[in-house]
Amino acid sequence: MPIFALCDVNNFYVSCERLFRPDLEGKPVIVLSNNDGCAVARSAEAKALGIKMSTPRFELDDLIQRHEIVTFSSNYTLYADISQRVMTTLEALSPRIEIYSIDECFADLTGVETNHSLVEWGRVAKATVQKNVGMPICVGIAPTKTLSKLANHAAKKYAKTGGVVDLTDPERQKRLMALVDVCDVWGVGRRISARLQEMGIGTALDLAQANPKHIRKQFSVVLERTVLELNGISTIPLEPVQANKQQILCSRSFGKRITEFDVAAQAVAQFTARAAEKLRAEKQQCKSLTVFIRTSAFARDEPQHHAQMSTRFEHPTDDTTELISGARKLLRRMWKDDRRYAKAGIMLGEFSEDAVSSQLDIFSAVPAQRQKRAELLSALDEINQKQPQLIRFASQGVKREWDMRRDHLSPGYTTSWRDLPRVR
DNA sequence: TCTGGGGTCCTAGGACCC
DNA sequence: TCTGGGGTCCTAGGACCC
């Protein structure tokens, strides 16, 4: 029987911001999404003030003033760096981990024998991450991923657990599941939970006791697996190696509404350049490109326009120039002059291994021009990695009036020499 | 006035083929 | 004049996750 430990950082983005601002300990803190749109991370104090996940910032203005809530724009460069430190620390404690998201991983504890040592493992992991990285984590331990998520949920919710819950005992599983709303089960979202409620399935235990075949018929094979997992039957294995991406997406809401084609084209060129960079970092090339634009769904009284168009390249490519020119053509065909666009994005798909670099070894007959091009792009990537966006394509624009809002950005404490914290 | 971004997987239904 | 059915592939859209 496998044993999974789900380790996840408490209020991750907030904890990252506090790491370099210990004065914020005990104070309400929130971190906003891109464009300073919504609250996506809240400290315990902010949660206690009733701030819900994804509340738009403008609805919080009052509360922020009244309670002196400290507000940050998201600083993904910082979070990604801290995340890596957390994962490296946990990897040293369990050779097999699966990095599941920026702030959590599943560790394989198979072989850690007794219950006593399972809890002990959790305590050690928690203490080590706290000591080495300064991040608070909780650990949930169980024979399936879904149950370990549930155990983690309990570890966070009940202080007396000390942040570590061992849910390997079936009786204990049942007792906890009876207390947990079905909507808090991993894999049960808003829609499905509403339908389950109608069927009289209100708790995790109700779902565990439902007939899996019936659930499959009514819903899908995915929810059937959830039922099995709640019963201690592991159906979702640990996947330590990250699979190659199947899609790369880059999209942004604009800092303000866009009504001019040229401005939108700059933004789309910018997204495309970024996506192409990610593509090359993955050592992949793409065959398809999709562009989408949309007006704001919140502006009910305005004429709406949601459009999406794709194109296919004859040969797989990772060339920013080619991609930008393809994206621009698609945008042109969709564009309507009389709309106020709120968001745009591009997607790359249908990947294949980077032909140039693999062919370099195998064949000598790579056209010189392609090879030159590849060298140029990799030089570009190398420079931009040191200082993001130092070199740009002209089509990405200079004024960048569409750029997102980031009014409360913290310094790049760990990734920029300029922002290194000073010790006085 | 202001409402995130980046992913994955599954399913239904249409197109197409024999 | 008669006018099937099954399999496969692809795509769009929906659901979920953090």
Side-chain angles (χ1 to χ4, degrees), chain A residues 81-102:
Chain A
D81 188 55
I82 304 295
S83 169
Q84 213 176 3
R85 297 179 191 200
V86 171
M87 299 307 170
T88 308
T89 305
L90 288 168
E91 211 158 22
L93 298 172
S94 161
R96 272 168 47 90
I97 68 167
E98 172 187 338
I99 297 172
Y100 177 67
S101 74
I102 192 161

Side-chain angles (χ1 to χ4, degrees), chain A residues 27 91 108 125 139 159 167 186 190 198 212-213 258 263-264 331 347 365 370 392 417:
Chain A
K27 295 188 181 155
E91 211 158 22
D108 177 10
V139 183
L167 204 60
W186 190 44
R190 243 189 37 243
E198 271 172 37
K213 290 289 162 240
I258 292 185
V263 178
L331 184 67
M347 283 179 267
R370 284 200 68 187
R392 281 177 275 170
W417 288 107

Side-chain angles (χ1 to χ4, degrees), chain A residues 285-287 313-318 322 350 352-353 355 370:
Chain A
Q285 301 203 320
C286 72
K287 233 186 148 183
F313 299 103
E314 201 173 332
H315 304 289
T317 180
D318 62 1
E322 190 179 0
E350 295 181 59
S352 53
E353 296 281 310
R370 284 200 68 187

Side-chain angles (χ1 to χ4, degrees), chain A residues 12 15 45 65 104 139 157 162 200 216 258 279 323 354 359 363 392 400:
Chain A
F12 180 55
S15 299
E45 299 78 12
Q65 283 231 319
E104 61 190 299
V139 183
K157 188 164 175 184
R216 179 180 191 144
I258 292 185
L279 184 67
L323 292 165
D354 177 340
Q359 281 181 5
F363 310 104
R392 281 177 275 170
R400 305 159 71 78

Side-chain angles (χ1 to χ4, degrees), chain A residues 287-291 309-313 326-327 330 333 350:
Chain A
K287 233 186 148 183
S288 82
L289 164 73
T290 302
V291 176
M309 262 187 172
S310 302
T311 185
R312 268 207 172 87
F313 299 103
L330 292 177
R333 287 165 61 193
E350 295 181 59

Side-chain angles (χ1 to χ4, degrees), chain A residues 266-285:
Chain A
Q266 278 180 18
V268 167
Q270 161 69 27
F271 305 157
T272 309
R274 179 73 193 108
E277 205 173 281
K278 290 191 211 169
L279 184 67
R280 293 192 294 269
E282 291 262 315
K283 303 240 177 293
Q284 299 279 327
Q285 301 203 320

